[in-house]
Amino acid sequence: SAAESMTDIPAGTMLVDYYHSTSAIENDGHCELVLYTTDSTDTVKLCIFTRDSADADEICTTYLIPYKAVQDCFDIINKHRLDSWDSMEDTTSLDGALTVCKFYSGGSYIRVSTEKMPPDGDKILDSISNVMQTYATADRAVPDSSETEVVM
């Protein structure tokens, strides 16, 4: 499976990126959760970027979480065959919100979004976000990470 072969991936490689924008307006409120590899095969880095509105600053909080989070995310990705979504018909969100998920696959990334998805696609994408958020507990937060994190 994809999650098992990730031990050879260099530290700092993005594995899963979930982005949700509350509206179609550029730079409006959004939330992004990104999983990165670390030097350890037991731990991954979770960065959560949030912006409440267009006027607010983006806040980043970093967590060091168990590698199981990656396996949990890829269980959902594989179960719902996210790699096949791009061949689906276009779908449009009624509320203007957009959700995008990118995930590592064999040296490159596959991008899926609520623009092309099955009828329950938004729920599937939300479940990936929910998995990551369950690991984002205060005891796993990296102190002062909001100031030191460099966003590439």
Side-chain angles (χ1 to χ4, degrees), residues 4-116:
E4 286 165 19
S5 60
M6 298 203 176
T7 50
D8 308 330
I9 299 173
T13 301
M14 186 185 83
L15 298 177
V16 181
D17 180 345
Y18 167 95
Y19 175 88
H20 178 78
S21 169
T22 49
S23 76
I25 301 167
E26 189 70 35
N27 291 328
D28 205 1
H30 66 256
C31 176
E32 184 172 14
L33 297 90
V34 190
L35 283 176
Y36 297 96
T37 54
T38 65
D39 293 329
S40 163
T41 52
D42 302 327
T43 310
V44 288
K45 182 167 79 168
L46 169 62
C47 298
I48 300 181
F49 304 92
T50 52
R51 177 183 288 184
D52 294 333
S53 69
D55 303 328
D57 289 333
E58 182 175 75
I59 298 165
C60 172
T61 311
T62 302
Y63 302 86
L64 289 175
I65 64 174
Y67 189 81
K68 185 176 185 321
V70 175
Q71 293 166 322
D72 292 350
C73 287
F74 274 90
D75 285 348
I76 297 167
I77 289 166
N78 295 330
K79 177 184 174 190
H80 296 286
R81 305 257 343 261
L82 266 68
D83 57 351
S84 68
W85 284 17
D86 208 40
S87 59
M88 295 186 177
E89 290 183 27
D90 290 0
T91 49
T92 307
S93 165
L94 297 176
D95 59 3
L98 173 67
T99 303
V100 177
C101 182
K102 286 185 286 206
F103 56 93
Y104 190 86
S105 177
S108 61
Y109 293 95
I110 294 176
R111 177 191 185 275
V112 298
S113 77
T114 47
E115 293 167 337
K116 284 190 177 187

